[in-house]
Amino acid sequence: MGDVDLDAVGTFVAVAEGGQFQAAADDLGVTQQAVSKRVATLERELGVRLFTRTARGVRLTIDGQALLPHARELLRAAERARAAVTPGRRALRIDVVSRRIAPSNLLHAFYQQRPEIELDVVTLTYAEAESALAEVAAGTIDATFRSLRDTAREVPSGLRAARVIDDRHEVLVGSQHPLANAKSVSPAELADHPIWMPGMPAEPLGYYRDLAEAFGLTIDTIGPSFGAEALLEEIAGSARLATFVGEGSRYLWPERYDLRRIPVVDPTPVYPLSVVWRADNPHPVLADFLDFLRAGYRATAGDDVWVPDWAR
């Protein structure tokens, strides 16, 4: 049925279910003549008779009975295909960069408020910002979260950006670390403690260099990343190493690790993230998600934070 007209297939199903050409015509909003023509065309294409006439209307032939379940599936497949590209019906595709960090948690919170929506969660963890923005511009994803450091928060023509996340820093240390029992710590106090963040993607790397320069910190990004689990195990067993985590990030570890998350204050460095989307994207759920992000940002933004010059 590669070249079969879907209108003809739909008409065939309507006649089969109604048992009459006129009933099918009424359901489809066309003339009986149009129904007869579509069925005749389908029979000619397939080289079989699909109906025999009776005193009360028509009934399926053996070939018609064989075709009916496949015709219904073909119509269902066509409907799924239409839904996949219809704004508001296709899944909203959002790049959260990583499932551990603040954008993922915010998208999850939005989904908990709107569990009826179709959602496709994408993680372009190691993609350069330029590549992620190209995906948005091409329409392969509806939105992404980026710092936009390299472009001073500017985005290409046709895209829009809004700063919606200031992810507050915490220091993660093991129980043997000198800061283990601190309730909070200032950036100045961290100057004597090395921060270990191996295998960092290129985009946040520049931000952490800015942070290190501003406060005289030692942030070591050398070496490969063997995953968050390996990093947490190293931190737990060290009396020297610490690492930065975002307040909005989610990490789980065995109780025996006894890791401590300590807020950084006076001031609190934040990793600034903007949501980026295409200006002409008509997806109604995207508009709702953007409103959700803006409202959350207004409710949590503070004056006690530090960001690099390019984010101000």
Side-chain angles (χ1 to χ4, degrees):
M1 294 180 65
D3 298 324
V4 172
D5 183 351
L6 281 175
D7 285 340
V9 174
T11 301
F12 159 71
V13 171
V15 174
E17 292 176 346
Q20 292 183 333
F21 277 58
Q22 186 59 57
D26 293 341
D27 288 342
L28 297 171
V30 298
T31 64
Q32 183 175 338
Q33 183 181 10
V35 169
S36 299
K37 185 175 180 180
R38 289 178 186 177
V39 170
T41 300
L42 186 60
E43 289 178 327
R44 189 165 57 253
E45 293 238 4
L46 297 175
V48 296
R49 288 188 62 198
L50 299 173
F51 296 103
T52 57
R53 293 191 176 275
T54 68
R56 293 187 173 184
V58 294
R59 61 182 174 83
L60 289 166
T61 64
I62 293 175
D63 289 319
Q65 291 172 30
L67 175 63
L68 185 58
H70 300 290
R72 285 174 171 152
E73 178 53 35
L74 188 61
L75 294 175
R76 284 194 291 268
E79 175 57 27
R80 288 195 295 270
R82 275 192 292 269
V85 296
T86 302
R89 298 189 63 190
R90 69 164 175 80
L92 183 69
R93 285 174 57 83
I94 304 292
D95 165 38
V96 295
V97 187
S98 165
R99 296 185 194 277
R100 294 186 184 276
I101 63 175
S104 178
N105 293 336
L106 284 170
L107 183 59
H108 185 216
F110 175 70
Y111 181 70
Q112 288 177 314
Q113 290 186 10
R114 298 280 303 276
E116 80 285 356
I117 66 173
E118 292 289 333
L119 194 59
D120 190 359
V121 183
V122 180
T123 53
L124 302 179
T125 306
Y126 291 97
E128 300 281 355
E130 185 179 359
S131 299
L133 299 192
E135 297 276 0
V136 175
T140 55
I141 56 176
D142 291 299
T144 186
F145 291 87
R146 299 286 153 175
S147 71
L148 303 177
R149 176 184 184 270
D150 292 341
T151 59
R153 299 178 62 209
E154 293 295 320
V155 292
S157 176
L159 300 185
R160 296 289 182 271
R163 183 165 147 193
V164 291
I165 297 173
D166 282 351
D167 199 17
R168 293 169 175 258
H169 283 12
E170 297 175 336
V171 172
L172 185 67
V173 299
S175 60
Q176 304 170 60
H177 194 278
L179 297 174
N181 296 317
K183 299 299 181 186
S184 63
V185 62
S186 70
E189 291 171 316
L190 287 175
D192 296 330
H193 302 281
I195 306 295
W196 189 43
M197 305 186 75
M200 192 183 305
E203 189 177 354
L205 192 59
Y207 162 83
Y208 282 103
R209 286 173 179 159
D210 297 339
L211 177 62
E213 184 178 347
F215 294 102
L217 306 182
T218 301
I219 301 180
D220 182 4
T221 60
I222 303 300
S225 170
F226 291 97
E229 289 72 18
L231 175 65
L232 296 177
E233 186 175 13
E234 288 276 356
I235 296 292
S238 175
R240 186 178 69 89
L241 295 176
T243 195
F244 278 130
V245 294
E247 182 184 46
S249 61
R250 182 170 43 200
Y251 292 91
L252 299 174
W253 55 77
E255 188 175 348
R256 60 185 171 82
Y257 281 12
D258 194 18
L259 291 168
R260 321 287 173 86
R261 293 180 71 144
I262 304 167
V264 183
V265 299
D266 193 29
T268 298
V270 297
Y271 187 60
L273 283 168
S274 294
V275 62
V276 184
W277 71 99
R278 211 164 89 172
D280 62 355
N281 188 327
H283 202 303
V285 181
L286 174 63
D288 292 344
F289 182 49
L290 295 175
D291 288 342
F292 171 84
L293 292 172
R294 291 187 183 104
Y297 185 65
R298 286 194 298 269
T300 58
D303 298 327
D304 57 338
V305 302
W306 174 89
V307 291
D309 290 342
W310 52 264
R312 294 196 178 101

